[in-house]
Amino acid sequence: MSTSDRTPEAGNYDTSHSIAARRFNRTHGLIPPVVESQDVQILRCLKRLDQKDKGIEKYLYLSNLRNTNAHLFYRLVTKHIKDIAPLIYTPTVGDACLQWSHNYVHPEGLYLSYSDRGHIASILHNWPQNVEITVVSDGSRILGLGDLGINGMGIPVGKLALYIGCAGIRPEATLPLMLDTGTGNKSLREDPLYMGSRIEKISAEEEQEFMDEVMIALNEKWPGIVVQFEDFKNPFPALERYQEKYTCFNDDIQGTGAVVLAGIINAVKRSGIPVKGQRAVFMGAGSAGVGVAKQIVEFFMREGLTEDQARECFWLVDTKGLVTNDRGDKLADHKVYFSRNDNAGKQYRSLAEVVDYVKPTILMGLSTIGGVFSPELLTKMGQWNENPIIFPLSNPSANSECTFEEAVKYTDGKALFASGSPFPPLEHNGKMLSPGQGNNMYVFPGIGLGTILSKATVVTQSMIYASAEALSTALDVSETSQGWLYPDIARIRDVSVIVAKGVIRAAEEAGVDRETRIKGMSDEELEQWIRSKMYDPHSETRRVEEEIESFINDLAINGGIRGSHL
């Protein structure tokens, strides 16, 4: 093909490209003449961000950057992950979702509406790239914000940005997917700027039929595609229906469970109390809480307890109090597994009552009730335990069951702490203490990468557990010596390699892998191979230059470069 036939793509307008690359890509003269270093490019981006006061303004700037120069966007993400991640995902993505229809400028991702049923396969053919992984949501339970309908598209978009930045999945291999199945949010249906279908949320039976068509079409279009479910109000039906048939997992249930489990593995070791002596009170008995508890049950079983013994270490609390068999209400199916039958007919109606009754070693929060871990409860945890394990996991920060400062203050610095939202380090008795953050991005990028690279046919529970186990081992010597429960998020790409390796090994052991090239590799060889498959935005300019050089050489060998504008 003559270079005169080339049409510039968005990524070709990169000021780090050489003059030769610009001529080849037909962007010479269309961007300022200076060839910039990548450091200068990033400096400009950081200055632009500093000029903006509100998180949503920064989000919109970064969104525009991602859509006009993806490689520069991911250079910024990978180099400044601690600062950028909160702007492209939680907590800022919550505001972005609330305003999604109002701020809409350009298309991002794919929307499949209930009215499209019977034609899903043909719509998927409109997507121009070959897809390896998709994040799917119906917007019915976005963070702690409720049903946002198609405005929840910010979640798949943000999640996949982290898959790319944290685990090196190539941008063009990702698909943000929003299922437009109506909304129970009346204010959205009446908002003239809302861009989704103005219908009530469809029934569970209708959604199941629709989901069947979507899953079939996705796998016919892209065989072996990894499907990650996200922010469904009831996440269990889809996971249970498809997990043994397709390559899929649910990050709300399995990812949250895995990342918390990794922190618990390290916290239990540091507490000095064996698993048989642990007593865990969970404030929050929704899908995320139950998912987390079940992951920890598996850990306790692997440490030598029977399933019944492990399950008896957990007391779950919801809005009506301790979950028991004889409470008098009909329990949701997912709560039955942990429902207590040893309460001798007495009902404990509040978290405070349950804590006094159990005297827990572990206090876990997945309730979205800010401040529910009161000073009195935290003080008691510090009195009963030498190293109380306190995990307030709800997002955003305003919904956190307690702050790091409160946990340190009321346990006199003894708490083994991890939260869902970020909190700053602080000084206590002359020592700097850093909080752990049980952020799902420690595991889901590595789960996705390992699943893709192993060509796994399904995502087994053993693969999810392996991601947690791998994360628990990912701390370096310095992090371990400081008593951290999680590694430094700045090392997330290295952590994702370790997690992906664990996932691949688990897939091999389960016999669900199809990638033959890695059979027999040592752990060191496998790590190197994983790194070689990861997208590196910092090397993209060099890759473009090498492709151009190769193209020119081929032209020269085949009779010159007549017709070229080089």
Side-chain angles (χ1 to χ4, degrees):
M1 179 182 69
S2 168
T3 54
S4 61
D5 297 329
R6 293 173 60 88
T7 300
E9 299 177 356
N12 293 336
Y13 296 91
D14 192 321
T15 58
S16 69
H17 285 178
S18 67
I19 298 301
R22 299 178 191 193
R23 288 173 176 164
F24 180 81
N25 288 323
R26 305 191 67 79
T27 58
H28 189 205
L30 301 182
I31 50 179
V34 171
V35 177
E36 294 186 310
S37 70
Q38 293 180 2
D39 287 341
V40 168
Q41 288 181 309
I42 290 174
L43 177 62
R44 179 180 296 108
C45 294
L46 294 174
K47 282 186 172 293
R48 289 291 306 277
L49 287 171
D50 285 343
Q51 292 167 357
K52 300 179 185 303
D53 297 326
K54 297 180 180 179
I56 187 63
E57 294 173 342
K58 297 181 181 186
Y59 176 93
L60 293 173
Y61 165 72
L62 291 168
S63 178
N64 182 64
L65 180 62
R66 185 180 64 251
N67 283 282
T68 55
N69 192 337
H71 300 319
L72 175 54
F73 171 79
Y74 287 111
R75 286 172 208 145
L76 180 65
V77 170
T78 55
K79 198 160 187 177
H80 297 275
I81 186 68
K82 281 187 174 180
D83 297 322
I84 302 300
L87 298 176
I88 61 176
Y89 203 59
T90 55
T92 311
V93 73
D95 289 334
C97 288
L98 288 170
Q99 303 175 42
W100 190 264
S101 291
H102 287 237
N103 288 332
Y104 183 84
V105 175
H106 45 67
E108 293 187 90
L110 190 68
Y111 298 83
L112 297 176
S113 293
Y114 184 62
S115 59
D116 297 324
R117 60 194 185 281
H119 307 285
I120 299 300
S122 63
I123 295 172
L124 291 183
H125 284 294
N126 292 333
W127 191 258
Q129 280 111 8
N130 182 50
V131 177
E132 295 179 327
I133 186 168
T134 180
V135 174
V136 183
S137 180
D138 69 348
S140 58
R141 195 210 64 183
I142 298 298
L143 304 175
L145 304 171
D147 184 349
L148 298 186
I150 64 95
N151 286 352
M153 178 57 103
I155 296 296
V157 168
K159 202 92 176 187
L160 285 166
L162 295 179
Y163 273 105
I164 297 162
C166 299
I169 296 171
R170 290 200 66 85
E172 63 270 19
T174 67
L175 171 64
L177 182 55
M178 174 55 58
L179 305 181
D180 176 25
T181 54
T183 174
N185 189 329
K186 183 180 178 183
S187 65
L188 285 181
R189 297 197 306 271
E190 296 177 349
D191 182 348
L193 294 183
Y194 178 61
M195 303 182 76
S197 298
R198 300 173 190 279
I199 60 172
E200 286 274 4
K201 187 70 177 173
I202 62 175
S203 69
E205 293 75 18
E206 290 170 325
E207 184 164 29
Q208 178 178 294
E209 183 180 353
F210 183 63
M211 281 293 297
D212 283 348
E213 183 181 354
V214 170
M215 293 299 287
I216 290 170
L218 282 170
N219 281 273
E220 286 181 349
K221 171 68 173 171
W222 299 293
I225 183 175
V226 178
V227 179
Q228 189 230 290
F229 301 113
E230 184 78 15
D231 283 356
F232 284 77
K233 185 176 182 179
N234 184 359
F236 291 102
L239 182 61
E240 292 169 357
R241 187 171 178 84
Y242 305 122
Q243 63 182 344
E244 295 183 3
K245 187 175 182 180
Y246 301 113
T247 313
C248 62
F249 71 102
N250 184 297
D251 186 54
D252 296 316
I253 301 171
Q254 296 165 295
T256 300
V259 76
V260 175
L261 173 57
I264 286 293
I265 290 173
N266 288 331
V268 167
K269 289 178 182 176
R270 286 194 56 205
S271 74
I273 300 174
V275 295
K276 65 181 180 181
Q278 297 289 345
R279 299 178 303 281
V281 168
F282 275 56
M283 182 59 200
S287 58
V290 170
V292 168
K294 284 186 174 180
Q295 294 275 23
I296 302 173
V297 164
E298 184 173 356
F299 166 54
F300 284 8
M301 290 170 62
R302 291 185 182 221
E303 291 294 302
L305 300 188
T306 67
E307 183 175 1
D308 285 342
Q309 288 171 335
R311 185 171 53 200
E312 288 169 1
C313 295
F314 294 81
W315 288 259
L316 270 59
V317 182
D318 62 14
T319 55
K320 297 178 181 178
L322 180 65
V323 177
T324 65
N325 290 349
D326 58 356
R327 196 168 65 176
D329 60 322
K330 180 174 173 53
L331 296 177
D333 290 343
H334 65 273
K335 297 181 184 182
V336 172
Y337 182 82
F338 287 105
S339 181
R340 305 292 302 197
N341 62 4
D342 58 354
N343 54 312
K346 183 175 181 181
Q347 304 305 320
Y348 299 87
R349 299 297 184 182
S350 68
L351 175 62
E353 289 181 5
V354 175
V355 167
D356 284 341
Y357 167 56
V358 176
K359 293 182 172 55
T361 58
I362 299 171
L363 189 57
M364 191 82 65
L366 295 107
S367 66
T368 71
I369 303 174
V372 72
F373 292 173
S374 66
E376 293 77 17
L377 292 186
L378 295 172
T379 299
K380 289 176 180 178
M381 289 293 292
Q383 292 170 345
W384 293 330
N385 303 284
E386 185 59 35
N387 292 114
I389 299 171
I390 298 172
F391 279 30
L393 297 172
S394 294
N395 283 308
S397 303
N399 292 345
S400 185
E401 288 76 11
C402 71
T403 66
F404 180 50
E405 182 179 6
E406 289 166 344
V408 170
K409 177 180 179 181
Y410 295 110
T411 67
D412 194 25
K414 298 193 296 183
L416 299 174
F417 179 94
S419 58
S421 296
F423 289 105
L426 56 83
E427 185 176 346
H428 179 76
N429 291 340
K431 181 180 180 181
M432 284 302 299
L433 302 178
S434 297
Q437 185 186 356
N439 193 318
N440 285 26
M441 74 187 221
Y442 277 120
V443 292
F444 71 76
I447 293 173
L449 179 63
T451 303
I452 291 170
L453 293 182
S454 66
K455 299 181 180 177
T457 56
V458 294
V459 180
T460 65
Q461 174 54 30
S462 62
M463 292 163 67
I464 300 295
Y465 189 91
S467 73
E469 209 166 34
L471 174 58
S472 73
T473 69
L475 285 78
D476 62 23
V477 174
S478 173
E479 292 159 353
T480 302
S481 67
Q482 295 178 69
W484 290 11
L485 301 181
Y486 294 100
D488 189 341
I489 204 71
R491 297 196 303 109
I492 188 60
R493 284 175 72 94
D494 291 333
V495 171
S496 291
V497 170
I498 294 170
V499 171
K501 181 182 70 174
V503 169
I504 291 171
R505 290 302 193 209
E508 291 175 333
E509 188 173 337
V512 299
D513 63 311
R514 293 175 294 176
E515 177 52 78
T516 59
R517 288 176 293 176
I518 58 178
K519 301 287 188 184
M521 279 188 182
S522 67
D523 284 351
E524 183 179 349
E525 290 170 334
L526 182 56
E527 281 198 19
Q528 292 176 350
W529 183 80
I530 292 169
R531 291 182 191 278
S532 74
K533 298 298 181 182
M534 293 170 69
Y535 160 71
D536 179 7
H538 301 276
S539 67
E540 283 300 307
T541 298
R542 184 175 69 252
R543 186 181 65 82
V544 169
E545 302 284 351
E546 291 172 351
E547 286 183 359
I548 292 171
E549 184 178 350
S550 175
F551 184 79
I552 293 173
N553 289 339
D554 287 345
L555 284 176
I557 292 172
N558 292 309
I561 53 175
R562 294 185 301 275
S564 170
H565 65 282
L566 294 174

